């Protein structure tokens, strides 16, 4: 049940507020001294505090209220506090609101306004508690992963990335091929390295080859090796990546760029562990854990006849999908701080710009933007201009079903300022109405 703590030395105030809150299905707790109030906060789960500013007879300075507010804020950082008094000078209350107090109401108070304020703060408190709970759970999950597996220093905070890492680590110890899918620049090679680091062959070599960065006629020679004279310029025999990776892991990035002849040879290696160097008839053997990655639609390539279906199913025993950075926004700021490595600090406006950008180039684009900004921020503070991000796309015209400022104001007035009721009347969620209130500049 929702709970409000009233800290006031006047018993009549406690009784009046308790009655008003009880009628709204809110559990009231009353403390008559700052010490009792702090003791109650230590033992009870409280969602909102309503506190007086003066507790000693003939005292109107508000100093006791200031001290109490600071004590509450020091122990309960996110707990909403409403200041309530008939004597405190307005500038004192304003300063406390700037310091984090939720609101300031003068005695005698208006029941409608006070209850609407309490209702809205209870909703915000619930949302804050949920966000905090989710953040704590994500941190615990990350700590469990870091304690159980070798994550190679990977920086992440999002739930989506936690799921990807957990799956990658779970399949690492098996011997089956793994296909890592995701957009360019999202970090597929880092995931492959983590799979290798937690595999049974982690003491062996980790060899990576980008199939999209090699000319088609050289890919087979790169993978399987070549004898001297096998192609123009091949002056001596050379071993391929499969031989280099023997006893370890071979990571084939951009596997969709492998030509059909190379696909056929790769399929044979996966099935038998055997291959021949280019220009040689001698069969060689290699025991290699194969990981592959692509940003291409391999099923569409199969339909077009450019990728072998049997190879696809051989590679795709386990599919580990790496989300785009835009789908794991909780990772943006931790990654930005990691790339900065203490060279500079991000302003609040720069942080907002980073979170608002869609990052089509994913982690690679973010890394480059941070590196550039760190060089340009001569005073060690990065502002949005240093990031050189393109301007946000112009917003589309307002949907006719989108509530106007006037309709939002009318709904809030009709609901007595209670956001949840106004949201219901408008057919919106509380979060959606909060966003529109922020957009229209309406106070909660």
């Amino acid at each position: 049940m929702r709970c409000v703590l009233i800290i006031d030395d006047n018993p009549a105030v406690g009784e009046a507020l308790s009655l008003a809150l009880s009628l709204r299905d809110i559990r009231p707790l009353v403390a008559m001294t700052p010490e009792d109030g702090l003791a109650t906060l230590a033992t009870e789960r409280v969602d909102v505090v309503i506190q007086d500013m003066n507790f000693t007879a003939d005292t109107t300075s508000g100093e006791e209220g200031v001290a109490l507010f600071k004590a509450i804020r020091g122990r309960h950082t996110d707990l909403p506090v409403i200041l309530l008094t008939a004597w405190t000078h307005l500038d004192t209350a304003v300063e406390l609101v700037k310091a984090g107090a939720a609101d300031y109401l003068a005695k005698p108070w208006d029941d409608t306004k006070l209850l609407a304020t309490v209702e809205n703060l209870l909703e915000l408190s619930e949302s804050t508690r949920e966000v905090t709970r989710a953040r704590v759970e994500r941190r615990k999950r990350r700590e469990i992963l870091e304690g159980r597996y070798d994550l190679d220093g990977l920086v992440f905070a999002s739930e989506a990335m936690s799921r990807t890492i957990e799956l990658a680590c779970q399949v690492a110890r098996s011997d089956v091929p793994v296909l890592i899918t995701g957009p360019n620049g999202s970090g597929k090679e880092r995931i492959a390295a983590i799979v290798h680091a937690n595999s049974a062959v982690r003491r062996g070599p980790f060899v990576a080859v980008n199939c999209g960065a090699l000319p088609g006629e050289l890919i087979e020679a790169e993978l399987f090796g070549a004898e001297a004279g096998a192609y123009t310029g091949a002056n001596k025999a050379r071993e391929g990546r499969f031989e280099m990776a023997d006893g370890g892991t071979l990571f084939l990035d951009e596997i969709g760029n492998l030509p059909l002849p190379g696909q056929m040879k790769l399929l044979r290696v996966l099935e038998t562990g055997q291959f021949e160097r280019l220009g040689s008839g001698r069969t060689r053997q290699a025991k290699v854990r194969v990981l592959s990655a692509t940003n291409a639609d391999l099923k569409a390539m199969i339909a077009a006849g450019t990728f072998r279906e049997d190879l696809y199913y051989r590679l795709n025993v386990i599919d580990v999908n790496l989300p785009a950075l835009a789908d794991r926004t909780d990772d943006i700021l931790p990654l930005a701080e990691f790339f900065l490595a203490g060279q500079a600090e991000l302003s609040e406006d720069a942080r907002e710009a980073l979170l608002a950008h869609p990052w089509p180039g994913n982690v690679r684009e973010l890394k480059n933007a941070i590196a550039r900004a760190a060089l340009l921020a001569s005073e060690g503070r990065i502002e949005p201009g240093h990031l050189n991000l393109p301007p946000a796309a112009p917003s589309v015209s307002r949907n006719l079903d989108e509530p106007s400022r006037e309709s939002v104001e009318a709904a809030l007035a009709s609901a007595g300022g209670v956001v949840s009721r106004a949201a219901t009347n408008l057919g919106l969620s509380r979060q959606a109405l909060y966003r529109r209130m922020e957009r229209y500049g309406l106070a909660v």
Side-chain angles (χ1 to χ4, degrees):
M1 188 175 184
R2 301 175 301 171
C3 180
V4 172
L5 172 62
I6 304 154
I7 310 177
D8 197 299
D9 62 326
N10 187 340
V13 171
E15 290 176 7
L17 288 175
S18 294
L19 177 60
L21 294 169
S22 298
L23 293 174
R24 295 290 186 96
D25 292 326
I26 300 170
R27 178 190 176 209
L29 297 173
V30 179
M32 298 188 66
T33 67
E35 294 75 19
D36 288 346
L38 293 173
T40 301
L41 286 174
T43 58
E44 299 279 354
R45 199 195 83 168
V46 174
D47 299 299
V48 174
V49 171
I50 301 175
Q51 70 151 82
D52 194 9
M53 291 295 291
N54 297 292
F55 294 90
T56 304
D58 301 324
T59 299
T60 61
S61 67
E63 291 179 1
E64 294 170 313
V66 171
L68 174 58
F69 172 77
K70 289 182 177 178
I72 294 173
R73 181 59 70 241
R75 303 178 194 185
H76 308 275
T77 310
D78 299 322
L79 183 61
V81 178
I82 300 174
L83 309 175
L84 189 65
T85 183
W87 300 107
T88 303
H89 296 297
L90 181 60
D91 55 354
T92 302
V94 170
E95 288 303 315
L96 289 185
V97 170
K98 289 181 179 178
D103 205 348
Y104 165 79
L105 297 175
K107 295 178 181 177
W109 61 86
D110 179 280
D111 268 355
T112 302
K113 180 179 179 182
L114 184 142
L115 291 172
T117 300
V118 169
E119 289 275 10
N120 288 330
L121 289 174
L122 287 170
E123 291 177 8
L124 289 173
S125 181
E126 181 183 350
S127 299
T128 300
R129 186 181 293 111
E130 180 62 26
V131 169
T132 302
R133 184 193 62 78
R135 187 183 298 121
V136 169
E137 285 186 358
R138 287 199 302 268
R139 185 174 66 247
K140 286 181 178 178
R141 187 173 181 178
R142 185 173 68 246
E143 289 173 352
I144 291 172
L145 287 173
E146 290 171 342
R148 185 179 300 170
Y149 303 109
D150 179 1
L151 301 188
D152 193 31
L154 189 70
V155 176
F156 66 98
S158 67
E159 181 65 19
M161 198 61 176
S162 292
R163 290 194 297 268
T164 296
I165 296 298
E166 189 168 18
L167 175 60
C169 292
Q170 286 175 344
V171 304
R173 297 189 184 280
S174 66
D175 213 14
V176 299
V178 175
L179 178 64
I180 304 169
T181 57
N184 279 336
S186 56
K188 294 189 289 293
E189 186 167 345
R190 289 299 308 276
I191 300 299
I194 288 173
V195 172
H196 171 72
N198 293 278
S199 70
V201 295
R202 59 185 175 276
R203 300 190 185 281
F206 176 77
V207 178
V209 55
N210 187 338
C211 299
L214 297 170
E217 62 274 12
L218 294 181
I219 288 181
E220 288 187 56
E222 283 290 328
L223 292 181
F224 309 113
E227 297 294 342
Y231 59 90
T232 304
N235 299 320
K236 60 180 181 179
R238 54 173 297 187
E239 65 178 4
R241 302 301 177 95
F242 267 95
E243 290 178 79
M244 294 179 188
D246 191 19
T249 300
L250 177 64
F251 173 55
L252 302 175
D253 200 5
E254 303 297 347
I255 189 68
N257 291 80
L258 192 65
L260 286 170
Q263 293 178 32
M264 186 169 60
K265 285 192 173 183
L266 176 59
L267 180 62
R268 182 190 174 204
V269 178
L270 292 175
E271 291 177 341
T272 66
Q274 297 177 342
F275 63 95
E276 289 84 29
R277 285 181 178 177
L278 200 64
S280 170
R282 176 189 166 194
T283 299
R284 299 172 183 270
Q285 192 87 17
K287 185 171 178 57
V288 176
R289 170 74 179 278
V290 175
L291 308 176
S292 53
T294 184
N295 68 327
D297 185 347
L298 294 185
K299 288 187 176 179
M301 295 180 65
I302 292 170
T306 57
F307 200 86
R308 292 180 62 102
E309 187 173 15
D310 48 2
L311 177 60
Y312 171 76
Y313 288 112
R314 185 74 187 185
L315 292 172
N316 194 26
V317 176
I318 297 291
D319 183 351
V320 176
N321 179 255
L322 184 57
L325 188 56
D327 296 327
R328 45 188 176 103
T329 53
D330 286 343
D331 292 339
I332 293 174
L333 295 182
L335 283 168
E337 296 286 1
F338 174 76
F339 294 142
L340 274 175
Q343 299 176 62
E345 66 175 14
L346 293 162
S347 70
E348 284 303 315
D349 288 343
R351 289 171 178 270
E352 290 181 10
L354 289 173
L355 292 173
H357 186 60
W359 301 108
N362 293 290
V363 179
R364 186 180 297 135
E365 181 189 3
L366 173 62
K367 184 177 181 179
N368 292 340
I370 291 297
R372 180 176 56 247
L375 290 174
L376 297 177
S378 55
E379 297 183 1
R381 183 175 175 81
I382 294 177
E383 299 293 346
H386 298 134
L387 296 168
N388 195 33
L389 298 176
S395 59
V396 297
S397 58
R398 186 173 64 85
N399 189 301
L400 293 178
D401 294 329
E402 176 79 1
S404 65
R405 178 191 176 98
E406 292 75 18
S407 61
V408 169
E409 288 178 326
L412 287 168
S414 176
V418 179
V419 174
S420 59
R421 296 179 191 168
T424 300
N425 294 337
L426 290 168
L428 301 172
S429 66
R430 292 200 315 267
Q431 291 78 9
L433 181 52
Y434 276 123
R435 286 196 296 270
R436 284 155 181 82
M437 290 170 66
E438 183 179 2
R439 183 188 310 159
Y440 296 143
L442 300 177
V444 176

